[in-house]
Amino acid sequence: NEDLRGCARQVQNQVLLVVGKQDETTPLKEGKVYLESFPNAELRSIEGGHFAFVDDPLTFNLIAEEFLYE
């Protein structure tokens, strides 16, 4: 419930946003809003809810590994 877009604009590091496709707490549309706020970010969506990294850990780990080794 907190708008952190102002803070996001100050982050200069590369950022990976991973959003669960069935997330009702922080839906994909909110992830897209934050994607535009970070100067250097990538957004990926995977199957699962708010804790998609738990729902689909294999996909999450593959995406994270790919991002970290780019």
Side-chain angles (χ1 to χ4, degrees):
N1 295 332
E2 194 171 350
D3 185 352
L4 298 172
R5 289 177 288 176
C7 294
R9 289 184 190 94
Q10 298 174 18
V11 175
Q12 296 302 311
N13 298 64
Q14 290 182 296
V15 175
L16 174 63
L17 301 168
V18 180
V19 178
K21 292 178 182 175
Q22 292 80 30
D23 188 344
E24 295 179 9
T25 304
T26 310
L28 184 57
K29 67 180 182 178
E30 289 186 30
K32 290 178 181 178
V33 169
Y34 274 90
L35 176 65
E36 295 178 12
S37 298
F38 286 103
N40 192 14
E42 176 181 334
L43 174 69
R44 301 287 299 270
S45 62
I46 64 175
E47 293 301 322
H50 190 63
F51 297 102
F53 60 94
V54 174
D55 298 332
D56 190 355
L58 179 59
T59 301
F60 176 83
N61 288 340
L62 289 172
I63 290 170
E65 184 178 342
E66 180 182 277
F67 175 81
L68 292 170
Y69 288 104
E70 284 181 346

